[in-house]
Amino acid sequence: MTKKSKSQDGTKASDHPQITIFSGWCKSCGICVAFCPKEVLAMDENRKVFAKSPEKCIACHMCELRCPDFAINVKEVEKQSTLAEDKSDE
Amino acid sequence: MTKKSKSQDGTKASDHPQITIFSGWCKSCGICVAFCPKEVLAMDENRKVFAKSPEKCIACHMCELRCPDFAINVKEVEKQSTLAEDKSDE
Amino acid sequence: MISNSELVNKYFRHNKKFPHIWCPGCGIGIILGNMLRAIDALDMNKNEIAFVSGIGCTGRAPVYVDFNTLHTTHGRALPFATGLKLARPELKVLVATGDGDATAIGGNHLIHACRRNIDITTIIFNNYIYGMTGGQYSPTTPHSDKASTCKLGNIERPFNISQLVEAAGATFVGRTTSYHTLQLQSIIKKAIMHKGFSVVEVITHCPTTYGRINKKGTAVDMLKWQKEVAVDKSRADKMDPKELEGKIITGILMEKQLPEFCEQYDTIIEKAQSMKNNQQGKSK
Amino acid sequence: MISNSELVNKYFRHNKKFPHIWCPGCGIGIILGNMLRAIDALDMNKNEIAFVSGIGCTGRAPVYVDFNTLHTTHGRALPFATGLKLARPELKVLVATGDGDATAIGGNHLIHACRRNIDITTIIFNNYIYGMTGGQYSPTTPHSDKASTCKLGNIERPFNISQLVEAAGATFVGRTTSYHTLQLQSIIKKAIMHKGFSVVEVITHCPTTYGRINKKGTAVDMLKWQKEVAVDKSRADKMDPKELEGKIITGILMEKQLPEFCEQYDTIIEKAQSMKNNQQGKSK
Amino acid sequence: MSQTRTEIRLAGSGGQGLITAGIILAEAAILDNKNVVQSQSYGPEARGGASRAEIIIAEGSIFFPKATWVDIFLAMSQKACDQYSFDIKAEGTFIVDTTYVDQIPTSSAFAIPISSATREKFGKELFSNIVALGVICEICGVVSARALRAAVSNRVPDGTEKINLEAFAFGQKLAKEAIKNRTEVETESIEADT
Amino acid sequence: MSQTRTEIRLAGSGGQGLITAGIILAEAAILDNKNVVQSQSYGPEARGGASRAEIIIAEGSIFFPKATWVDIFLAMSQKACDQYSFDIKAEGTFIVDTTYVDQIPTSSAFAIPISSATREKFGKELFSNIVALGVICEICGVVSARALRAAVSNRVPDGTEKINLEAFAFGQKLAKEAIKNRTEVETESIEADT
Amino acid sequence: MNKKSSYQLIQGNEAAAEGALAAGVSFFAGYPITPSTEIAEILSDRLPANGGKFIQMEDEIGSIAAIIGASIGGRKVLTATSGPGFSLMQENLGFACLAEVPLVIVNVMRGGPSTGMPTSPSQGDVMQARWGTHGDHPIIVLSPGSVEEAFHYTVKAVNFAEKYRNPVIVLMDEIIGHMRARVSLPPTSMIERVNRVHPNMPPEWYLPYERSATGVAPMASFGDGYRHHVTGLVHDAKGFPTADPNEARNNIRGLFTKIERGFRELCLVDYEFMDDAEHAIIAYGGMVLSARSALEQLRKSGRKVGLIKLGTLWPFPRFALEQYLPQLKTILVPELNMGQIYREVLRVNAGKAVVEKLNRVNGTIITPNEIVKTVKGLIR
Amino acid sequence: MNKKSSYQLIQGNEAAAEGALAAGVSFFAGYPITPSTEIAEILSDRLPANGGKFIQMEDEIGSIAAIIGASIGGRKVLTATSGPGFSLMQENLGFACLAEVPLVIVNVMRGGPSTGMPTSPSQGDVMQARWGTHGDHPIIVLSPGSVEEAFHYTVKAVNFAEKYRNPVIVLMDEIIGHMRARVSLPPTSMIERVNRVHPNMPPEWYLPYERSATGVAPMASFGDGYRHHVTGLVHDAKGFPTADPNEARNNIRGLFTKIERGFRELCLVDYEFMDDAEHAIIAYGGMVLSARSALEQLRKSGRKVGLIKLGTLWPFPRFALEQYLPQLKTILVPELNMGQIYREVLRVNAGKAVVEKLNRVNGTIITPNEIVKTVKGLIR
Ligand SMILES: Cc1ncc(C[n+]2csc(CCOP(=O)(O)OP(=O)(O)O)c2C)c(N)n1
Ligand SMILES: Cc1ncc(C[n+]2csc(CCOP(=O)(O)OP(=O)(O)O)c2C)c(N)n1
Ligand code: SF4
Ligand code: SF4
Ligand code: SF4
Ligand code: SF4
Ligand code: SF4
Ligand code: SF4
Ligand SMILES: [Mg+2]
Ligand SMILES: [Mg+2]
């Protein structure tokens, strides 16, 4: 279990959502990566997902909703979610 | 097997169709009687069908077509059948 | 048209006992007779007709007639017929099946035969009841009607068979009644000539079970009812829905051309054989 | 909305081994997850949910989730569910079934459950193939597509599931894809709330069998295809048929209110009991 | 077989109500405090074709439930008469409804026009089976008239008890006449035989 | 069991092509004029989970078709390694693909990064199973390289023969290096043990 | 049902339906088939009047599926059918065996195979009742030998099903099913009703397939708070699919263990004139009637013949025969089939007595006289 | 199939498919199910290439119905399935028995009951193959003990089906079905093909169920001018339904007569080391492989043990055992079930030798060592 999106600098640290990937469950299908509207996610050379640009995450939850293996988790730090705004689902 | 419609007088004898009822097969359902457009057929007190007024028969064959037991037979003496004219089937 | 005597002589099995087993006034005999007249009008070869049925009063029809006849298990006439047809596509395959046989236990085979569009003509003798077993409700028994297993009234809604088979993919759907014998003949004729899977639903009467428990009167009364509720499609198309309530639309309800299953299979054989020949050519 | 971690904690069985058995990228997990989100949104009591399935990759869904779960035989989820629901009408009964399970071997039970309008929500995971047994064609495999038992192309035409269940009498029909997860949630929610038999067809992908043999690319590619072909009903209603060719209309396709089976049965019980009391009153 | 065993067979065509008649007969036997079993022929053959009900009455236990050697036989159709009369005891009671049976295989039969008489009297043949019960009661006496009347009342549809009891009585009357006639006929035939 | 019996088990995860590798190995044995049977694990477990192919090669007849005491074991995933290594002979040959296996239960194993080396060399892991065959061929010699090459050509899709033979040769090369390294490692470990 | 006298005339099928109600059956799903249809017809009337439920399914596969579902929902359930329908039920019958779901199937046998002779008596399904579904499993099969027993055995069947969490077949023949007899049924208050054992631990601790000392695991109904998994796959004590050989073994062997533990209770056997018998007739179902008549005659003529009446066919009550083997010279097994229980008798007999069969497969029944003749011939 | 060498590596399921083609099967209808699916997949490819036909039906009921229909149309037909599908086929299997329609079902057994253990070996359907459908009927069941036999027995099955106008079951286990072995298949020209006897009299004289001296009636195909009636009702020689006891008797007994006449031919049995054997192992299917290995060890250690390998399970080859009973002290029957053929052995043994069973129902197979140990224990 790896948490990758903890930012290092103190100021805006908790501003962007926390993305967690349970690598033991992830089957490296690439769906989350492909459909993230903000290109937050990427696959490392061992085909494991990681949050390449966590700061771009808008907490649309599309990666969570489409992960077939319940292996990714996005937690907003601020309460608002942008779910309703996302149009990629229509 | 009884043939009932042979007319007795010589002149118009063969003018009207020949109606034959195979009483061994007839189950006395009354369908032929009920739907004969010319009221040619009737049921005797033993519930057996007979041609009461064979001379009225127009050889529409409705009795044949609707007899569930293949127990009635109508044979035109003249070749023309009035089948096409009958409207009771529509 | 062929007379009853000729019909009997030409198509009935001389070594079978008559009268047949059906009750007085039962519509099954009427439908059978008019099916035979349709066949006669088409001048078909008896050796090339296979007549297949399931179990039920309706299922007893084939035994009487002098075709290749196959009386299968309850609900399974269509898969038997499918195998037979695919094995010998030159046969004309007709299926006689009751409402229970076709849409209760046999419902799945019915929709799949429709979907495959295999060249079989299926006549559904819809008497709204399981006749043979003494009058239990069937998937076509009208709502609120009675039967021996729903003496307080049927709470299930009936299938609209024609709609169902159309949605399942049948390419010819006709409906008529046992009263409308000429229309019956004409629809069956067209259904047989249709290339593909054709369904003819015939509304008929079982005076012994459905008629008795629902106080529908005699066979004659039930035929009169058929006469009254039937509306020919050509007329119905011009009527508004209100008027059509409680009516049964008859005629050819749907007809279209789509590739037939056995013919399509022939293309597979061709493909497979040419691939095989190619491979043998290369002698890899 | 509930997060994945919360979902897993709240609804998954802690004593079941994860990751689950489905292949990488398989759509079944996506549908299962969004079904759970819909259930969560409706705030249902886990004790009152019965989740029933047949056999197939889809059929493996119930074992993972912490409801009353019943993994039946191939094609038979619906009659098991029917008995369970009628026996305990207070249960919310959900059925997960594959295209083969629901429309091949289980086709008859499907149309009869529709006809009865029993209050069960059926989710059909339509991946166009028999996934579990390694990729044979199913009744929904598109014409000309390949499968392990039709390597030269499928000659059968697929069922249009939504049309079929509507003709059979379903009172709620929805369709969406595993790509459209929000729509999926919303349709499942409405289906569960609908009183009567509801069918939700979810177009999904089996990259391992159907995808591979038909060269449809990865799970990602197949999801992209779903995105492209789907047209929401509201939009489709305004498009002309030409434009809609090759498209899949999604949304709630049909919804109507008709008396529900279990409720109707209660009226039978009332009738029967009042008759019995009357008789005992008369003490005949 | 117990000595007291009486085997009764009612045969006719489907729809004549002979199964019901058989059940009533059996229920009457119970009211008479006798042991009884009843069975019948089933199946599509019974539809239109010949139909048959068998009743076995005994004081003690009845093991084998089918007739093996029939004591009392009623035939209400020719077909049934032909088909089911092969195992009637020589000294058994043979009753035929002459409405439907022309050819009677024995000269010792009670020949009674049950159906036509019923039709004449009640306007329809519906009650012929109950009339037949009256006939059997009177001729054979294997169950009491009291019990039979009670059994008839119990079994028939509510509101039709009275007319059915009339039918029963009418049957008894027909039987009495037949017994009278038969005695005469028999005398005649004996004379002719000599 | 016949003395000449050699039992081989290839284990990994579904999709790695080990069943195909097993079949090729068995077909090669036939070309070498040996007797052979092959079997595998089936089922949804094989989907994603651990998968296994077994090949038994002998000079004479083979009765029992399953491995009972494995001579040659190849593990290409950790799960498979854990699950299927319990019945390897002590003196057996143990080969692991270090790309996917971290924890090796024996120190005498040939540890070769089969998949990652394949990926590096050919751009994808697709040929790992054929590379693995090359490895086995070189290390165990139970079937001839000639036969294996022929079997590979026969079984792979038309047009891919050449690249697959390259993969096979690459496997042989990897094995040679491993044999060399292992000898060194072993020497080391013996020293450390003292 | 006529309630006026303590004696009534009822049919075997009717007695089975009354037995079901008396035993507390509150759910029936079925599909009509001769000669069992009366059971469905009666229950379609009487169940709702008693708050129970009746549903006519689209076929027999759906029927058994529905009663399994209802049983899992906590009801006592029953269906009725005949050969063709019973054949169709086999797959799901296996499900109920493996998932240990209580249910009762009344199979009123008719002439087979296939559509066969739908209205004629037969005992052709005895082996099918034991072996009709694939895979190893035990089953309980009772065969009533009178109308009265049709009632009592149906009650017992329901009770056995509940107690053992196992399907029970009431294998009735058309003779019993369709005959009417004078019978006095006990009032419902006199009927022993057995209910399945429900779990009594907190839900988190419940293991749906952990057997108690009786060999049977407690069974929770869906909706009672004991959420669990039911599957037709081989499973562990939690109910989850397993491929572990030990768990698999426990699953399958456990099915047998519970029946073995109850063996004596499950075996309904009656003995008539067996004390001094040197010759035995072994009969069940309608053949008991012929055998009893024959016995009466044979004893009258001084033959030392007795009757072993099998009420339970499966598990086969081997002891019923074994205990008499030392005294028996000959055994006759009259059956309306080609000799099905005969095979079991042969197996248990193990070469000791002379075993003969008397068979009939033509739609008629074996008469007492035929049995008398055969026994006399055997004794010589 | 690789045609380059006379030896090839093929799978048991593939061998069965090749056997079907070699025997002239030209019609297959089926529904996929593990572990038999390969047979359908191979034939879906190879049949059309040979002018034959393959159809995937909506379920197993439809599958057997379709092959019956095709067989009546004159084709040699086959289907393949496993336990759950085989259970569903039972009703129509009975139809084929009664209507005497040649067909072959390959049942590749898996762990049961119900969904059971879909990919694990089992021999749980042996009794079901004999008794799964309702009513009395005989059946022919062959059990290949190697990949090569999967080919040859399938050929034999087709030939028996045609010759006896009877369904034949090839009861294969997953061990044989899924293993690959080095096999040399004979060229098609070397395969004996038996065809059903067609009528050779004028059509008006044809009676479809009038048995010839062999006990089998000639069979006309639909479309050949011999119009006749085929039904699942008990029928007379014309094929028409009958309720006449004599005709009914002739119908049912006739089914048995033809199989009895062919009994010796139908019984495929091999004997290994039986000449001087005092102890026998009786095995079939995949268990033959374990038994042979065990035998090798036992003989090496001087034990007088032999193997009776049953290729035919039904009709049960009783003589195979009977002829050795005088010399046998013990018999061991290892089976991947709870002891099904064991029951038959007990029956035939009739108390003579000591009969022991060795069973396994956990999804794994019995190893040679276990057999060795058990036999040694038995011999003491
Ligand atoms: C498997 C099976 N189940 C049930 C039956 C009993 N059965 C015979 S016919 C029939 C229904 C007949 O109804 P339908 O098909 O409408 O035909 P009808 O008699 O009304 O013409 C039933 C349930 C059977 N023969 N086989
Ligand atoms: C009676 C029976 N027949 C066949 C099978 C084999 N079988 C298991 S799943 C399946 C089809 C699965 O396809 P689908 O329902 O579409 O589910 P998917 O795996 O695609 O989710 C089949 C044929 C079975 N288990 N039982
Ligand atoms: S929540 Fe949305 S933006 Fe953030 S990683 Fe997931 S898909 Fe990308
Ligand atoms: S979608 Fe899920 S399983 Fe697929 S790569 Fe992303 S985290 Fe892994
Ligand atoms: S042919 Fe027409 S007119 Fe003549 S009797 Fe028949 S129905 Fe009447
Ligand atoms: S329709 Fe036929 S069966 Fe009916 S009364 Fe007329 S002739 Fe007789
Ligand atoms: S029961 Fe009904 S359907 Fe059957 S023959 Fe009689 S009237 Fe016709
Ligand atoms: S085989 Fe297909 S449907 Fe089954 S788990 Fe794999 S991807 Fe999903
Ligand atoms: Mg009907
Ligand atoms: Mg699918």
Side-chain angles (χ1 to χ4, degrees), chain F residues 1-2 19 23 26-27 30 33-40 42-45 63-66 154, chain H residues 2 4 7-9 11 38 119 174-175 178-182 289-290 292-293 296-297 365-368:
Chain F
M1 319 271 141
S2 317
I19 311 281
I23 293 174
E27 287 180 335
I30 292 179
N33 239 326
K34 295 194 174 155
N35 200 358
V36 67
V37 303
Q38 183 272 344
S39 65
Q40 64 249 295
Y42 269 90
E45 313 83 47
F63 297 137
F64 191 60
K66 305 271 171 180
N154 279 344
Chain H
N2 184 343
K4 280 182 230 162
Y7 282 105
Q8 20 173 338
L9 184 77
Q11 205 181 33
E38 293 85 357
T119 55
E174 193 269 351
I175 306 166
H178 271 168
M179 75 185 253
R180 288 187 179 78
R182 172 183 181 258
L289 304 170
S290 300
R292 277 216 190 94
S293 282
E296 209 181 18
Q297 294 180 44
I365 72 184
I366 300 173
T367 62

Side-chain angles (χ1 to χ4, degrees), chain C residues 21-23 26-28 57 127 131-132 205-209, chain E residues 47:
Chain C
I21 61 150
W22 298 303
C23 303
C26 175
I28 296 175
C57 294
N127 57 11
M132 178 65 104
H205 51 286
C206 168
T208 304
T209 70
Chain E
R47 196 168 288 150

Side-chain angles (χ1 to χ4, degrees), chain C residues 58 98-100 125-131 138:
Chain C
T58 301
D99 45 321
F125 294 53
N126 184 2
N127 57 11
Y128 299 151
I129 204 90
Y130 298 157
S138 93

Side-chain angles (χ1 to χ4, degrees), chain H residues 4-246:
Chain H
K4 280 182 230 162
S5 131
S6 87
Y7 282 105
Q8 20 173 338
L9 184 77
I10 68 170
Q11 205 181 33
N13 280 345
E14 203 179 341
E18 292 298 335
L21 292 166
V25 165
S26 70
F27 194 96
F28 178 102
Y31 189 77
I33 184 166
T34 309
S36 76
T37 309
E38 293 85 357
I39 300 177
E41 289 177 335
I42 293 166
L43 291 175
S44 76
D45 255 10
R46 307 248 301 137
L47 275 172
N50 291 287
K53 297 192 172 175
F54 166 93
I55 185 171
Q56 191 173 290
M57 294 296 289
E58 48 273 21
D59 62 12
E60 288 86 350
I61 299 175
S63 301
I64 182 167
I67 62 168
I68 295 173
S71 185
I72 289 171
R75 302 242 179 189
K76 292 188 181 179
V77 302
L78 180 139
T79 188
T81 190
S82 186
F86 192 55
S87 288
L88 288 172
M89 289 182 182
Q90 290 303 329
E91 190 200 4
N92 280 337
L93 180 56
F95 180 95
C97 289
L98 186 69
E100 302 185 53
V101 181
L103 62 83
V104 175
I105 302 175
V106 183
N107 173 0
V108 188
M109 293 179 281
R110 62 191 227 178
S114 194
T115 314
M117 305 186 82
T119 55
S120 299
S122 160
Q123 300 181 316
D125 308 352
V126 170
M127 290 297 272
Q128 182 195 27
R130 173 70 189 86
W131 301 107
T133 194
H134 61 283
D136 289 277
H137 63 284
I139 200 150
I140 303 166
V141 178
L142 310 181
S143 170
S146 69
V147 171
E148 203 148 1
E149 278 184 0
F151 176 86
H152 291 291
Y153 280 22
T154 306
V155 173
K156 274 198 191 299
V158 175
N159 288 344
F160 285 160
E162 293 288 316
K163 179 162 177 186
Y164 292 91
R165 274 190 79 170
N166 212 75
V168 180
I169 316 295
V170 178
L171 204 59
M172 191 141 79
D173 48 50
E174 193 269 351
I175 306 166
I176 306 292
H178 271 168
M179 75 185 253
R180 288 187 179 78
R182 172 183 181 258
V183 162
S184 168
L185 299 184
T188 310
S189 56
M190 298 271 294
I191 306 289
E192 193 207 352
R193 284 191 186 185
V194 178
N195 298 315
R196 61 188 74 168
V197 175
H198 289 269
N200 54 9
M201 64 288 278
E204 302 74 39
W205 294 81
Y206 175 54
L207 294 177
Y209 294 96
E210 194 183 47
R211 294 172 201 288
S212 74
T214 63
V216 183
M219 179 169 174
S221 307
F222 275 19
D224 281 357
Y226 292 78
R227 298 186 302 276
H228 65 286
H229 186 63
V230 179
T231 179
L233 283 164
V234 165
H235 45 266
D236 60 20
K238 299 191 207 90
F240 296 150
T242 182
D244 177 272
N246 263 325

Side-chain angles (χ1 to χ4, degrees), chain D residues 28 55-59 74 76 97-102 105 125 127 129-133 136 138, chain G residues 91, chain H residues 31-34 60 84-85 88 110 115:
Chain D
I28 296 175
I55 299 292
C57 293
T58 302
H74 189 34
R76 318 301 174 189
T97 171
D99 44 321
D101 198 52
I105 193 168
F125 294 52
N127 57 11
I129 204 88
Y130 297 158
M132 177 65 105
T133 43
Q136 299 76 31
S138 93
Chain G
E91 191 201 2
Chain H
Y31 189 77
I33 184 166
T34 309
E60 288 86 350
L88 288 172
R110 62 191 227 178
T115 314

Side-chain angles (χ1 to χ4, degrees), chain A residues 13-85:
Chain A
S14 51
D15 266 21
H16 65 75
Q18 220 178 51
I19 303 173
T20 315
I21 290 132
F22 308 106
S23 64
W25 289 19
C26 168
K27 292 187 188 139
S28 314
C29 68
I31 290 176
C32 55
V33 177
F35 295 103
C36 170
K38 299 292 168 195
E39 302 189 338
V40 173
L41 306 166
M43 204 94 91
D44 70 15
E45 80 266 26
N46 286 322
R47 294 191 61 75
K48 290 290 164 190
V49 175
F50 70 103
K52 197 180 57 183
S53 323
E55 68 290 351
K56 293 199 218 146
C57 175
I58 54 169
C60 68
H61 296 286
M62 282 302 134
C63 52
E64 274 190 282
L65 296 183
R66 293 212 184 90
C67 172
D69 279 275
F70 310 93
I72 191 165
N73 198 54
V74 178
K75 205 173 151 200
E76 300 92 323
V77 173
E78 321 260 303
K79 280 273 151 67
Q80 344 116 317
S81 144
T82 50
L83 188 66
E85 290 166 40

